[in-house]
C-alpha cells in the first residue's frame, strides 16, 4: 500500500519543484571518532577554513568529536559551522562521562547529529532520539536527524521502518520547531566501509517525497515543504552531484570528509 501511494506521488511530480531560485547546500562533515590525534585534527580543520573562504552557495558543517570542538575557536569564516555527533539528553544531575548541552552551547555549536545508525547500533532508541531532538531544539541548536532503513525489500517494509523512526523521533515536538530540523536520509546499507553501494538517484527521490508526505500528514504541506532533506552514505566526488541534481538540500559525508583532497573534490563537483 505504501509503495502504491508513493508511486502515485512520484508520477504526480513532473519535475523538481524544490529547486526554486537561490539555494545554499549543506555539506555536513561527520568525522566520527577520527582522527587519532589533535595535530591531525588541527591540520584537517585548518584546511576546512581555507576551503571555506572559496565556497559559493555551500555551507560546511563540521561535526567533530567532542575532544576537538575547541578548534572552533579558530572560526572566522561564516561558511563553516560546528556541530556535534551526539547530544546527551539530560540536563539536571550528575552524569559521569557525559557532556551536557550547556557546556556545548559555550563553544559556538550550531548543529547536532542525532539518530546516526552507528549510534542506534549502540542502543539509541527512537524514544531516546526524541528526547535529544526536543532538548536540542529548546536550546536553539539545529538537529540533523538521521533516518534510514537497514535493508531494502520488495514489499515496502523499509518505508514503514523509516516512517516509524520519523513519527517516534518527532513525538510531541512543537509543530513550530519542525521546519528547523534537517532530515538526513542515510540508508544503513550505504554507510561506511561495510557499505554495499550508495543509494541511487531514484531511491533518494522516492525517499525524499515519502519523508515530505509523512511530514505533510503530520504537520501540513507548508511545514513539510520547508524542511531540508539531505543524503548521506558513501558520498564521493563521483556521486555527489547526482544527489544534488536529485534536489538533495545537502550531503552528509563520512569517510571523504577526513581526506582533504577528496573533500575538496566533492565541494568542486557541483
Ligand atoms: P560514509 O559515512 O560517507 O563514510 O559512508 C556517512 C555517515 O556515516 O554519515
Amino acid at each position: 500500500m505504501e509503495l502504491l501511494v508513493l508511486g502515485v506521488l512520484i508520477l504526480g511530480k513532473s519535475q523538481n519543484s524544490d529547486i526554486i531560485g537561490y539555494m545554499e547546500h549543506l555539506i555536513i562533515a561527520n568525522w566520527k571518532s577520527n582522527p587519532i590525534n589533535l595535530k591531525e585534527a588541527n591540520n584537517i580543520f585548518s584546511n576546512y577554513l581555507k576551503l571555506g573562504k572559496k565556497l559559493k552557495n555551500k555551507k560546511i558543517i563540521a561535526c567533530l568529536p567532542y575532544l576537538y570542538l575547541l578548534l572552533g575557536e579558530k572560526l572566522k569564516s561564516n561558511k563553516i559551522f560546528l556541530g556535534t555527533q551526539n547530544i546527551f539528553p539530560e540536563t539536571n544531575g550528575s552524569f559521569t562521562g557525559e557532556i551536557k548541552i550547556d557546556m556545548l552551547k559555550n563553544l559556538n555549536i550550531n548543529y547536532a547529529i542525532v539518530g546516526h545508525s552507528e549510534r542506534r547500533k549502540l542502543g539509541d532508541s527512537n524514544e531516546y532520539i526524541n528526547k535529544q531532538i526536543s532538548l536540542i531544539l529548546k536550546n536553539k541548536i539545529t538537529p540533523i536527524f538521521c533516518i534510514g532503513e537497514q535493508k531494502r525489500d520488495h514489499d515496502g517494509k523499509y518505508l514503514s521502518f523509516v516512517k516509524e523512526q520519523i513519527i517516534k523521533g518527532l513525538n510531541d515536538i512543537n509543530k513550530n520547531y519542525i521546519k528547523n530540523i534537517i532530515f538526513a536520509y542515510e540508508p544503513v546499507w550505504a554507510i561506511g566501509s561495510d557499505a554495499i553501494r550508495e543509494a541511487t538517484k531514484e531511491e533518494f527521490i522516492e525517499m525524499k517525497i515519502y519523508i515530505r508526505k509523512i511530514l505533510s500528514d503530520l504537520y501540513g504541506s507548508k511545514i513539510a515543504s520547508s524542511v531540508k532533506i539531505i543524503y548521506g552514505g558513501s558520498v564521493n566526488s563521483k556521486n555527489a552531484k547526482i544527489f544534488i541534481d536529485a534536489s538533495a538540500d545537502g550531503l552528509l559525508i563520512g569517510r571523504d570528509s577526513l581526506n582533504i583532497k577528496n573533500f575538496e573534490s566533492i565541494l568542486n563537483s557541483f
Side-chain angles (χ1 to χ4, degrees):
M1 183 61 190
E2 299 270 27
L3 279 178
L4 188 69
V5 171
L6 207 54
V8 173
L9 276 166
I10 292 172
L11 283 173
K13 197 176 158 84
S14 56
Q15 55 176 314
N16 258 328
S17 55
D18 296 316
I19 308 169
I20 305 166
Y22 173 78
M23 164 98 206
E24 186 175 58
H25 289 109
L26 306 171
I27 307 296
I28 302 183
N30 178 14
W31 287 13
K32 310 194 181 188
S33 42
N34 299 294
I36 207 75
N37 60 46
L38 180 60
K39 191 166 169 243
E40 248 185 87
N42 208 351
N43 187 26
I44 302 171
F45 199 73
S46 302
N47 280 310
Y48 272 33
L49 295 180
K50 282 186 211 149
L51 291 177
K53 291 199 183 111
K54 297 188 265 174
L55 282 186
K56 282 206 185 82
N57 303 344
K58 297 182 184 83
K59 177 170 170 179
I60 296 177
I61 299 162
C63 296
L64 313 185
Y66 288 131
L67 199 58
Y68 302 141
L69 284 172
L70 282 175
L71 290 174
E73 285 176 354
K74 293 179 167 191
L75 281 180
K76 289 187 195 80
S77 155
N78 62 0
K79 295 285 185 180
I80 311 244
F81 295 81
L82 273 193
T84 62
Q85 302 167 10
N86 189 23
I87 286 286
F88 181 61
E90 304 294 340
T91 48
N92 298 317
S94 302
F95 302 97
T96 300
E98 293 295 352
I99 310 268
K100 281 187 189 161
I101 198 162
D102 285 341
M103 297 158 75
L104 297 167
K105 273 169 62 185
N106 293 324
L107 293 177
N108 266 327
I109 306 295
N110 294 294
Y111 296 85
I113 296 176
V114 286
H116 192 281
S117 64
E118 287 154 13
R119 296 279 338 157
R120 290 182 189 263
K121 218 162 138 190
L122 289 174
D124 291 8
S125 63
N126 286 325
E127 291 70 23
Y128 185 83
I129 293 160
N130 174 246
K131 267 175 103 172
Q132 292 177 305
I133 295 177
S134 168
L135 181 69
I136 293 167
L137 287 166
K138 278 187 200 129
N139 282 277
K140 299 193 170 50
I141 294 174
T142 302
I144 302 162
F145 177 23
C146 298
I147 47 186
E149 76 282 2
Q150 269 141 25
K151 55 180 192 304
R152 286 254 159 172
D153 56 282
H154 293 296
D155 45 8
K157 287 202 187 81
Y158 66 96
L159 293 169
S160 320
F161 184 85
V162 170
K163 185 175 184 176
E164 187 176 335
Q165 288 182 325
I166 296 177
I167 291 177
K168 291 193 171 162
L170 300 182
N171 185 35
D172 279 341
I173 302 282
N174 186 317
K175 185 177 171 170
N176 298 324
Y177 285 147
I178 301 297
K179 63 177 181 325
N180 301 333
I181 301 173
I182 298 168
F183 291 80
Y185 173 54
E186 292 214 304
V188 181
W189 45 266
I191 296 176
S193 45
D194 294 335
I196 304 170
R197 57 171 174 87
E198 69 266 32
T200 63
K201 174 182 162 187
E202 290 73 22
E203 285 165 339
F204 173 70
I205 292 175
E206 175 198 60
M207 194 52 87
K208 185 169 172 174
I209 295 170
Y210 186 59
I211 293 168
R212 291 221 197 278
K213 169 161 171 27
I214 296 165
L215 296 176
S216 178
D217 291 347
L218 290 171
Y219 308 107
S221 59
K222 199 167 166 219
I223 290 177
S225 59
S226 69
V227 302
K228 292 202 183 318
I229 303 178
I230 66 172
Y231 171 78
S234 296
V235 172
N236 57 41
S237 59
K238 292 195 182 75
N239 61 29
K241 189 171 179 329
I242 296 174
F243 296 107
I244 297 297
D245 287 349
S247 88
D249 296 308
L251 302 165
L252 203 164
I253 306 164
R255 282 158 292 168
D256 275 6
S257 69
L258 290 154
N259 178 317
I260 274 297
K261 257 180 123 182
N262 294 356
F263 192 56
E264 186 170 13
S265 304
I266 293 175
L267 293 172
N268 290 336
S269 69
F270 60 93

